[in-house]
């Protein structure tokens, strides 16, 4: 078989087999192939097997990469980010350190609303340039697919601008960007007394977003002092009828019942769930809703961690992990740091963690059929790590363990550094 690229002598964590996200104990199943070989043609995986099988398949390649026995995994997927925004909020650090709660900062017109002011003022080019820097940081860490939410416009013009920027980013650099319309991220001051009119406006906007193909998912910040469960139900139910898949910021700070709502509506993912009830978490697991956990946010806000062990061991649910990259509650692009937090804060095993940032994260952004495992037919998005031992990644935290990243079969990171525009050979 003639292929474009051959990666040989890898310790492949394929996560292959079966359909859908992995739940409970099955999240520990790595599907290792020792001394594994991967054949890539036209950006897709056409061969996955051990050295003997590769021999039998008579693989011939233009380029061969020797992984030197190191770990090879699917490209990582970051399924929850607020990627496109202007500015930063380091001025809120001292407030946080002096004990001012996240929601109080928002109530005072800071927090999300501060970023809304900056984003409304920023042009498309400025938003694009800032997000491009973040995407390069993510790619350097092995992230090949990322979800990106709007939600810093809270008005028609700026929400559409954010989503157009996300689409332009998808076309302008190697990381795939999956867009989510998060119009109801906060109540803008001009609608302070009239959340329902604001939601009506956001639903009209959702029609435009849909017509222009600018987002696949809709999301809402269901939180005390932001949007209630009944407001969230109305918005998400209508979005579902328009054809969007659903996500929800649920029970992050207060236990409102957002997890129960996610199960009721059959959302693709329920995100945060720090304070969700066990009944809500169990209902989500039953309904096949993926829990997207964001340990960086718990760490940064000094909040308790979500109950990952309950979801995995008792509810037998599917867990994904994400950065929540945003300028307020979690200003980091580092999914590898999140992997370390998941070990320490959630007591997740290295195997569960890898599943949560590959296969399950891919399903959380509706890309499970394309990426997230190393299987013939999938997109050739792959990471070669600087170790042969998976546990080393969450154990040795705060630095980048990536050696090489391939996006659709093209090498885009070498020695942990992003190669020039478009990658090797282009
Ligand atoms: O900008 O603070 N939680 N939304 C809900 C955020 C955090 C983003 C932000
Ligand atoms: Zn978020």
């Amino acid at each position: 078989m003639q292929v474009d690229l051959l990666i040989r002598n890898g310790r492949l964590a394929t996560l292959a087999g079966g359909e859908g996200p992995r739940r409970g104990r099955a999240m520990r199943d790595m599907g290792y192939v020792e001394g594994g070989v991967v054949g890539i043609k036209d950006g897709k995986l056409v061969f996955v097997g051990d050295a003997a099988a590769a021999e039998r398949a008579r693989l011939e390649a233009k380029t061969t990469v020797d992984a030197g026995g190191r770990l090879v995994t699917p490209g990582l997927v970051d399924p929850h980010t607020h990627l496109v925004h202007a500015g930063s909020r380091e001025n809120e650090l001292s407030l946080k350190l002096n004990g001012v709660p996240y929601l109080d900062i928002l109530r005072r017109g800071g927090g999300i609303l501060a970023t809304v002011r900056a984003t409304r003022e920023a042009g498309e080019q400025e938003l694009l340039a800032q997000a491009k820097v973040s995407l390069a940081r993510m790619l350097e860490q092995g992230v090949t697919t990322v979800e990106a939410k709007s939600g810093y416009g809270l008005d028609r013009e700026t929400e559409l601008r954010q989503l157009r920027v996300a689409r332009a980013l998808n076309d302008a650099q190697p990381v795939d960007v999956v867009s989510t319309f998060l119009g109801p991220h906060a109540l803008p001051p001009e609608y302070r007394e009239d959340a329902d009119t604001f939601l009506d406006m956001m639903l009209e906007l959702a029609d435009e977003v849909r017509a222009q193909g600018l987002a696949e998912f809709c999301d809402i910040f269901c939180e005390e002092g932001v949007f209630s469960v009944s407001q969230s139900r109305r918005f998400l139910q209508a979005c579902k009828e328009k054809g969007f898949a659903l996500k929800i910021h649920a029970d992050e700070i207060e236990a409102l019942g957002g997890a129960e709502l996610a199960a009721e509506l059959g959302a693709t993912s329920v995100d945060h769930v720090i304070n969700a009830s066990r009944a809500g978490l169990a209902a989500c697991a039953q309904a096949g809703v993926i829990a997207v956990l964001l340990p960086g946010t718990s760490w940064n806000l000094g909040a308790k961690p979500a109950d990952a062990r309950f979801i995995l061991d008792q509810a037998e649910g599917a867990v994904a992990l994400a950065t929540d990259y945003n300028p307020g509650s979690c200003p980091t692009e580092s999914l590898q740091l999140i992997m370390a937090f998941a070990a320490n804060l959630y007591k997740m095993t290295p195997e569960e963690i890898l599943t949560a940032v590959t296969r399950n994260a891919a399903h959380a952004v509706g890309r499970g059929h394309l990426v997230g495992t190393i299987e013939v037919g999938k997109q050739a998005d792959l990471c070669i790590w600087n170790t042969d031992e998976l546990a080393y990644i969450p154990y040795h935290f705060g630095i980048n363990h990536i050696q090489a990243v391939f996006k659709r079969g093209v090498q885009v990171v070498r020695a942990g550094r992003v190669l020039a525009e478009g990658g090797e050979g282009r």
Side-chain angles (χ1 to χ4, degrees):
M1 192 193 328
Q2 183 69 42
V3 299
D4 300 330
L5 173 68
L6 207 57
I7 300 173
R8 54 176 212 90
N9 197 19
R11 180 155 198 245
L12 311 182
T14 64
L15 287 88
E19 297 291 318
R22 290 242 165 101
R23 306 161 63 116
R25 270 204 84 82
M27 284 185 67
R28 301 184 185 195
D29 186 359
M30 294 288 94
Y32 278 123
V33 179
E34 307 291 344
V37 178
V38 175
I40 296 161
K41 193 171 170 56
D42 299 328
K44 288 197 166 165
L45 301 172
V46 292
F47 177 88
V48 180
D50 61 17
E55 189 82 22
R56 287 194 297 276
R58 296 171 183 272
L59 295 172
E60 283 175 36
K62 292 174 204 154
T63 312
T64 299
V65 172
D66 185 346
R70 285 185 279 265
L71 191 66
V72 178
T73 71
L76 308 187
V77 178
D78 189 342
H80 180 138
T81 86
H82 302 255
L83 173 71
V84 180
H85 61 264
S88 55
R89 310 215 294 260
E90 65 277 13
N91 60 314
E92 292 174 3
L93 178 63
S94 66
L95 290 173
K96 182 184 80 172
L97 298 182
N98 281 300
V100 182
Y102 173 84
L103 287 177
D104 279 6
I105 297 175
L106 178 61
R107 248 175 248 125
R108 296 175 189 184
I112 295 170
L113 294 175
T115 303
V116 167
R117 286 189 292 276
T119 305
R120 283 179 177 178
E121 278 173 24
E124 227 156 279
Q125 285 313 314
E126 183 184 338
L127 293 175
L128 192 96
Q130 184 165 332
K132 239 181 158 177
V133 172
S134 290
L135 281 170
R137 287 182 183 140
M138 291 171 171
L139 181 61
E140 199 167 85
Q141 296 237 339
V143 174
T144 47
T145 300
V146 62
E147 185 257 14
K149 301 175 194 298
S150 70
Y152 292 122
L154 315 180
D155 62 17
R156 178 180 174 278
E157 196 191 326
T158 319
E159 289 291 319
L160 290 175
R161 191 186 315 142
Q162 269 189 283
L163 292 170
R164 279 196 306 270
V165 166
R167 180 157 73 185
L169 286 164
N170 182 58
D171 300 337
Q173 52 73 57
V175 181
D176 284 329
V177 179
V178 180
S179 288
T180 296
F181 174 54
L182 174 60
H185 187 196
L187 207 52
E190 57 271 28
Y191 287 89
R192 185 161 288 162
E193 304 304 325
D194 201 359
D196 286 309
T197 306
F198 177 71
L199 285 178
D200 288 340
M201 195 178 87
M202 288 299 119
L203 283 170
E204 275 178 36
L205 185 51
D207 286 326
E208 273 191 75
V209 168
R210 183 93 190 139
Q212 295 183 41
L214 281 172
E216 294 169 43
F217 289 90
C218 284
D219 191 350
I220 187 165
F221 191 14
C222 178
E223 186 55 71
E224 185 69 51
V226 192
F227 296 102
S228 69
V229 169
S230 65
Q231 287 165 340
S232 301
R233 179 182 289 106
R234 177 163 87 84
F235 176 76
L236 291 176
Q237 180 66 46
C239 290
K240 186 177 176 179
E241 283 158 19
K242 294 176 196 299
F244 288 100
L246 306 181
K247 294 181 166 290
I248 178 170
H249 281 69
D251 306 313
E252 177 184 352
I253 297 159
E254 298 293 338
L256 294 191
E260 284 85 343
L261 179 63
E264 174 191 322
L265 295 174
T268 302
S269 72
V270 63
D271 298 39
H272 283 296
V273 297
I274 292 172
N275 293 292
S277 72
R278 288 193 156 188
L281 294 175
C284 281
Q286 277 281 314
V289 181
I290 300 169
V292 174
L293 304 184
L294 309 155
T297 306
S298 288
W299 181 84
N300 186 52
L301 294 182
K304 73 172 187 187
D307 198 348
R309 289 264 53 105
F310 174 80
I311 300 171
L312 292 166
D313 299 336
Q314 266 137 76
E316 292 180 22
V319 168
L321 290 163
T323 56
D324 194 16
Y325 171 57
N326 74 71
S329 61
C330 200
T332 182
E333 293 95 336
S334 175
L335 195 54
Q336 288 185 41
L337 186 57
I338 297 307
M339 292 167 76
F341 286 161
N344 251 36
L345 298 178
Y346 295 156
K347 317 300 176 205
M348 283 174 72
T349 68
E351 293 77 19
E352 289 166 343
I353 290 168
L354 184 65
T355 302
V357 293
T358 55
R359 181 170 174 144
N360 285 9
H363 282 283
V365 297
R367 292 288 194 277
H369 58 299
L370 289 175
V371 298
T373 66
I374 303 181
E375 288 174 292
V376 168
K378 290 267 172 95
Q379 210 165 280
D381 294 2
L382 299 166
C383 296
I384 303 179
W385 299 82
N386 280 322
T387 174
D388 61 356
E389 186 43 68
L390 176 60
Y392 191 75
I393 300 167
Y395 151 79
H396 188 161
F397 64 94
I399 63 142
N400 185 12
H401 295 287
I402 281 291
Q403 189 198 54
V405 181
F406 297 83
K407 180 67 190 179
R408 289 194 180 86
V410 176
Q411 186 161 9
V412 286
V413 174
R414 166 173 296 159
R417 291 267 171 260
V418 176
L419 297 167
E421 293 281 313
E424 192 94 311
R426 269 203 211 154

